[in-house]
Amino acid sequence: MININDFNYHIGKLDKDDIKYVISIIDKTIKKYPDLFIYIKNVFSFNGIILNDFHNNELIVDIFTAFIHSLKDNDNIKNEEQLLKKIKGYVRNYLETIFSNRKYFIGSHQVQYEPKMIALLAFSNYVNREFSIQFDKERNQFDEFEQYAYIELINMFRTIKSSLALFTIGDDVHAIALFRGYVEIASKIILANDFKDDYIAFKKYNGYLQAYKSKNGDIPEDMKERLGKNATNENYLAYGWAKNKNGKRITTMTDLIRLAFGKSMDVAIHISSEFVHEDYVNVGYDFVALRKIFINTYFETINMLLDEWDFDEIKISRFLNLFKNV
């Protein structure tokens, strides 16, 4: 039913038939919901864009293209009437946030205007800016564990924003390569509360180790006594604060991620690791499918963390709505 070529959409270059179809859906949506036309013009005007030629505005076409294409595999869209209604909802829910996101970054591909991407980018911008600034001001009010955990959270959203930005410029390989770092931090955030004391101790130890490796410090005696030969083992300090179900300390990233997520991330981690090593020449990866899979995984895991993390619900209510209305 939705006539947009998947490959053309993936590379951000629609052909004449794609554009003709998208414009036809724009016309039908506006005709069916005339108040939406006024709303769109007002939002664009507020952001300094006067829509004199509504149908040929490139940004309008890009936004509608992303909205339409994101519904291509939606089993609940059974006819054109349902499609138009859903698009109307997307415009109402996401148009203003699109402009908020564009203040910080504008990519070249329509994928940046998919609802899941809009929600992820918006919340990443919030954590990296408002939340991070507030945390810096109030850092001394948090205990040691909370300070480390919040820094992990901020770093995680820096990683996810970098990955999403790469998707929006068509660099899928390096966007996916960053996923490995993202899911590693996410695993730490999920597990840290179960191993608080060791998590804090090993964070301190890791600081000592990095100073030692750069020849600016020594390994403290209590650290040597507690860890022995593992005092200079990078993997042990990175993951050893967590223990598996048998009570044995974890020493690999894979085991840490499996403890947090089970085996659900195994394939994604394998692919991401291959891309970290730039090992993709002459391998038939389906990048059209991979981009969708990884964006969905980001969306699902962040949605899960939103439910579990102790954010101020009043401050993030606008973001919760973005995640719920996809």
Side-chain angles (χ1 to χ4, degrees):
M1 185 182 75
I2 293 176
N3 299 316
I4 299 174
N5 181 277
D6 288 339
F7 182 74
N8 292 348
Y9 174 78
H10 184 82
I11 64 173
K13 293 182 179 180
L14 303 185
D15 64 21
K16 291 181 181 179
D17 290 336
D18 295 323
I19 294 172
K20 183 179 178 181
Y21 171 73
V22 171
I23 290 176
S24 74
I25 296 298
I26 293 173
D27 287 343
K28 290 175 182 177
T29 306
I30 296 306
K31 184 177 180 181
K32 186 172 181 64
Y33 305 106
D35 288 349
L36 196 66
F37 174 72
I38 298 170
Y39 172 73
I40 294 171
K41 290 191 72 171
N42 287 341
V43 173
F44 270 69
S45 177
F46 181 79
N47 288 280
I49 302 174
I50 305 302
L51 289 174
N52 293 321
D53 190 0
F54 185 87
H55 298 94
N56 292 317
N57 181 277
E58 187 176 348
L59 180 55
I60 287 282
V61 173
D62 283 347
I63 291 170
F64 270 79
T65 298
F67 285 172
I68 296 165
H69 191 269
S70 67
L71 294 167
K72 196 167 186 177
D73 298 323
N74 189 321
D75 294 333
N76 294 320
I77 305 299
K78 302 185 185 304
N79 54 53
E80 193 172 83
E81 184 178 353
Q82 291 175 333
L83 175 65
L84 300 184
K85 183 177 180 180
K86 190 68 176 178
I87 291 170
K88 179 199 74 169
Y90 279 171
V91 172
R92 287 286 186 179
N93 289 326
Y94 296 104
L95 187 59
E96 292 175 57
T97 306
I98 285 173
F99 280 99
S100 297
N101 288 347
R102 282 169 61 88
K103 292 176 183 177
Y104 303 115
F105 182 82
I106 300 174
S108 57
H109 288 47
Q110 292 97 348
V111 66
Q112 67 193 295
Y113 304 124
E114 291 179 2
K116 289 181 180 179
M117 285 284 279
I118 296 166
L120 288 166
L121 285 167
F123 196 65
S124 297
N125 286 331
Y126 164 73
V127 173
N128 294 155
R129 293 176 181 275
E130 295 176 52
F131 183 86
S132 180
I133 291 169
Q134 193 66 29
F135 171 74
D136 286 340
K137 290 178 181 178
E138 300 175 355
R139 184 168 175 171
N140 292 334
Q141 298 178 25
F142 298 102
D143 64 32
E144 199 170 19
F145 172 78
E146 290 171 329
Q147 289 187 38
Y148 289 138
Y150 279 121
I151 292 170
E152 297 268 32
L153 183 79
I154 292 165
N155 286 340
M156 184 183 74
F157 275 98
R158 287 190 181 126
T159 302
I160 189 174
K161 185 176 179 182
S162 297
S163 178
L164 297 176
L166 287 167
F167 277 129
T168 72
I169 62 171
D171 189 354
D172 299 331
V173 166
H174 295 102
I176 293 170
L178 286 174
F179 179 83
R180 188 172 75 163
Y182 158 78
V183 79
E184 181 176 343
I185 302 174
S187 299
K188 293 175 183 178
I189 290 171
I190 290 169
L191 297 172
N193 199 55
D194 294 334
F195 307 97
K196 274 188 176 182
D197 291 340
D198 281 350
Y199 175 78
I200 293 169
F202 277 56
K203 285 295 178 187
K204 290 180 181 178
Y205 292 158
N206 187 54
Y208 297 139
L209 175 61
Q210 301 312 317
Y212 170 77
K213 288 174 67 177
S214 63
K215 305 191 183 335
N216 292 325
D218 297 316
I219 302 292
E221 288 302 319
D222 66 318
M223 181 175 164
K224 291 179 185 177
E225 290 175 9
R226 180 177 180 185
L227 303 183
K229 65 180 181 180
N230 287 316
T232 56
N233 183 330
E234 189 117 20
N235 281 358
Y236 190 85
L237 294 182
Y239 313 118
W241 50 269
K243 296 178 181 179
N244 64 22
K245 293 177 181 178
N246 297 321
K248 186 177 179 180
R249 291 196 183 278
I250 287 173
T251 57
T252 69
M253 179 191 70
T254 299
D255 287 342
L256 184 83
I257 293 170
R258 282 182 175 173
L259 186 62
F261 290 99
K263 293 185 178 181
S264 64
M265 296 292 182
D266 281 8
V267 174
I269 291 299
H270 171 72
I271 294 171
S272 180
S273 297
E274 293 297 306
F275 289 175
V276 166
H277 299 298
E278 301 290 344
D279 189 10
Y280 48 88
V281 175
N282 200 36
V283 180
Y285 289 111
D286 183 350
F287 286 101
V288 174
L290 284 178
R291 186 175 76 182
K292 185 181 294 185
I293 289 168
F294 277 90
I295 290 173
N296 285 343
T297 304
Y298 279 132
F299 185 82
E300 289 164 7
T301 53
I302 293 301
N303 214 0
M304 177 185 73
L305 288 172
L306 277 172
D307 289 335
E308 296 188 4
W309 197 268
D310 188 22
F311 284 108
D312 183 330
E313 286 200 17
I314 295 175
K315 289 183 179 180
I316 70 164
S317 59
R318 64 188 189 275
F319 304 111
L320 293 174
N321 289 332
L322 294 177
F323 278 84
K324 289 176 181 176
N325 287 312
V326 167

